[in-house]
Amino acid sequence: MSTASRARGIPTTSPQRSHWWSRDPNTAPFLNPRARTIWYAVLMLALAVGSWGLYNRVFGGLATTDLTSTMPWGAWVAFYIYFVGLSAGAFLVSSLIYVFGMHQFERIGRAALLSAIVSMGVALCFIGADLGRMERAPITLLFFHWTSPLSWEVRFYTLYIALLIAELVVAIRLQKRLVRSVEAAHRTMRILGTIGVPLAIFGVHGGTGTIFAVVKARAMWAGGLFPVIFVISAMVSGTALLMAVHYWQARGAGRVPDRALIRNLSTVLLAAIFIDLGLTFYEFIVPLLAFEHHDQSIIMLQAFGPYAWTFWIVQMFMGLLLPAAIILSPLKKRTGALVAAAMICVIGIIGVRFNIVVPPLIPPVIEGYPTGDYFPTITEWLLSVFFIAGGALVYSLVSEWQPIHEPDPDDHAAIAADAGMPDAELRTEQETI
């Protein structure tokens, strides 16, 4: 149920009662038959191909990767922090709705929460694959050390996932009109979201950045700015992901994507990109002007070393500059162009994460030690495909089961009123996409 509709006194409850987990037969399909066949065929193919990487990792261990004692972290850690960022970013977008009352984004509220949950699951799969002894991972919950960021992080992740699930359940119950009091349910979501915002910023993604920032031995990691950069990049990638998910799901279901929603999200994305560009500037200019030898060696590697293409093309061009240029250009009038900018951005942020993890590990920590050299093996690529396809499959199945993308019947009138335009005008605008 739309918060905006509730505020306008529109009836918000239904006499029909059922369990929240049961599927409502009146729920609109997640995809139309043709799109469903194509989508699940692609996912099954990706899972089948990627399962070879899973087999190699389970039975061959880390010997099937290009990881060494010199390069202990690689693509899986980069994907781990990438998906943690997607999760935190998607959740922060949902908080704009449920905490700060920005009802123009309400149509993607449940999708944002589900994206955050699934992304965290995928992130944990990646970091689990990177562990030498995966079966020992739960032990981190049994032992705790006050000065260990990892100890705090494990507990923050647990709280964060529980909070996301609780908030999504309440949101689904609201959508199905299964709550006794709409006011109380909205208050619950606002409380959960209010708790979740600092948890996501300082605990989950800021905390993930802290794990890197406290490693004094690695140049370009140690510093107070690092956790902040993590959070802003999360907002960039999470917002871009939701734009793409909304657009393609609506197209796949045979509905017209909400142009006003995508346009508003693009404004949030542009603001996050500019902040990210500013932080990136200071991330590099400060060590350069301070003539920090170790930091300068990493910057030279990123800019002119063997991974320079990931920095200039993937991170800077695809992740930041090209999406910003599209959103600022006359192309912003075309919904397809805005979604293309978002998808390019989602891919480009992978470059940001890769450049965070790999280049700082290349120079030897102690003079005389070997220089690092790393490029993901076929096993690493295939297992990455398997985890990403698995996450997309879980998201799709939950969306088939529950009204994740179901538009609220009152949303047209409510959003049109919020935007200051008549409902008929909003519909006409959407139909001209």
Side-chain angles (χ1 to χ4, degrees):
M1 169 54 67
S2 164
T3 307
S5 300
R6 174 178 58 84
R8 288 168 177 77
I10 296 173
T12 54
T13 58
S14 167
Q16 184 179 0
R17 312 292 295 181
S18 63
H19 297 296
W20 70 267
W21 60 81
S22 59
R23 188 182 188 282
D24 186 347
N26 296 320
T27 299
F30 173 56
L31 297 171
N32 63 38
R34 182 172 179 272
R36 179 180 287 111
T37 301
I38 295 173
W39 174 238
Y40 287 109
V42 169
L43 290 182
M44 290 301 110
L45 177 62
L47 286 170
V49 173
S51 61
W52 180 247
L54 179 64
Y55 174 85
N56 282 342
R57 171 62 186 90
V58 171
F59 294 100
L62 292 178
T64 59
T65 71
D66 200 28
L67 301 176
T68 62
S69 57
T70 307
M71 294 289 299
W73 291 350
W76 291 339
V77 172
F79 276 119
Y80 152 65
I81 60 175
Y82 174 74
F83 278 95
V84 170
L86 283 181
S87 175
F91 173 75
L92 291 176
V93 172
S94 79
S95 71
L96 296 179
I97 308 161
Y98 302 123
V99 178
F100 300 104
M102 301 177 72
H103 307 305
Q104 61 268 38
F105 301 126
E106 188 147 8
R107 190 166 175 177
I108 57 162
R110 279 161 274 127
L113 291 170
L114 180 59
S115 298
I117 295 169
V118 173
S119 294
M120 275 305 296
V122 175
L124 294 179
C125 288
F126 272 112
I127 198 61
D130 192 75
L131 298 176
R133 296 290 299 272
M134 290 184 284
E135 73 280 6
R136 293 184 177 178
I139 295 176
T140 55
L141 285 169
L142 301 178
F143 300 97
F144 178 75
H145 197 288
W146 290 94
T147 62
S148 168
L150 190 59
S151 287
W152 286 101
E153 199 62 13
V154 169
R155 285 150 184 83
F156 281 139
Y157 284 175
T158 305
L159 288 174
Y160 175 68
I161 293 171
L163 183 142
L164 288 175
I165 293 173
E167 192 168 354
L168 180 59
V169 169
V170 176
I172 291 173
R173 286 172 58 83
L174 273 171
Q175 173 67 17
K176 290 184 172 182
R177 317 302 201 262
L178 295 176
V179 294
R180 292 183 181 276
S181 167
V182 172
E183 295 289 342
H186 276 284
R187 188 164 55 250
T188 301
M189 293 190 67
R190 190 162 54 251
I191 292 171
L192 291 173
T194 303
I195 297 171
V197 169
L199 185 62
I201 293 176
F202 301 110
V204 176
H205 211 51
T208 304
T210 304
I211 293 175
F212 287 81
V214 298
V215 182
K216 290 182 180 179
R218 295 295 178 182
M220 295 298 288
W221 283 358
L225 190 62
F226 214 62
V228 181
I229 293 173
F230 265 60
V231 173
I232 298 301
S233 293
M235 198 67 192
V236 172
S237 58
T239 306
L241 175 70
L242 292 176
M243 290 174 64
V245 167
H246 171 75
Y247 179 84
W248 288 111
Q249 187 280 325
R251 293 287 301 270
R255 292 198 297 266
V256 177
D258 190 329
R259 183 183 179 185
L261 172 67
I262 292 177
R263 191 174 59 237
N264 289 330
L265 283 173
S266 71
T267 303
V268 176
L269 175 61
L270 184 63
I273 287 176
F274 275 126
I275 297 173
D276 202 2
L277 279 170
L279 291 176
T280 302
F281 171 77
Y282 281 110
E283 179 189 10
F284 287 92
I285 197 66
V286 169
L288 285 174
L289 294 180
F291 299 100
E292 291 285 348
H293 170 70
H294 293 296
D295 286 337
Q296 288 180 341
S297 65
I298 301 300
I299 292 174
M300 291 299 109
L301 269 175
Q302 290 176 328
F304 307 107
Y307 308 111
W309 62 276
T310 66
F311 177 75
W312 293 112
I313 299 176
V314 183
Q315 175 175 339
M316 296 304 298
F317 183 68
M318 296 178 64
L320 300 173
L321 298 177
L322 182 57
I326 292 174
I327 296 172
L328 288 172
S329 75
L331 290 172
K332 66 182 178 184
K333 297 176 181 177
R334 302 178 59 180
T335 303
L338 292 178
V339 174
M343 294 174 64
I344 293 170
C345 187
V346 168
I347 297 171
I349 297 299
I350 297 175
V352 176
R353 304 313 189 198
F354 181 87
N355 280 305
I356 285 175
V357 174
V358 175
L361 290 172
I362 292 177
V365 176
I366 300 175
E367 189 174 352
Y369 273 35
T371 301
D373 184 23
Y374 172 80
F375 194 82
T377 64
I378 188 66
T379 294
E380 291 174 82
W381 287 119
L382 290 178
L383 188 57
S384 300
V385 170
F386 183 86
F387 286 151
I388 294 170
L393 180 63
V394 170
Y395 183 94
S396 302
L397 293 177
V398 174
S399 297
E400 298 269 12
W401 170 42
Q402 294 293 334
I404 300 300
H405 295 272
E406 181 81 2
D408 192 285
D410 301 319
D411 273 357
H412 285 298
I415 295 172
D418 283 342
M421 66 177 69
D423 184 48
E425 185 179 341
L426 178 65
R427 290 175 184 275
T428 302
E429 184 184 14
Q430 292 179 337
E431 288 167 359
T432 58
I433 296 173

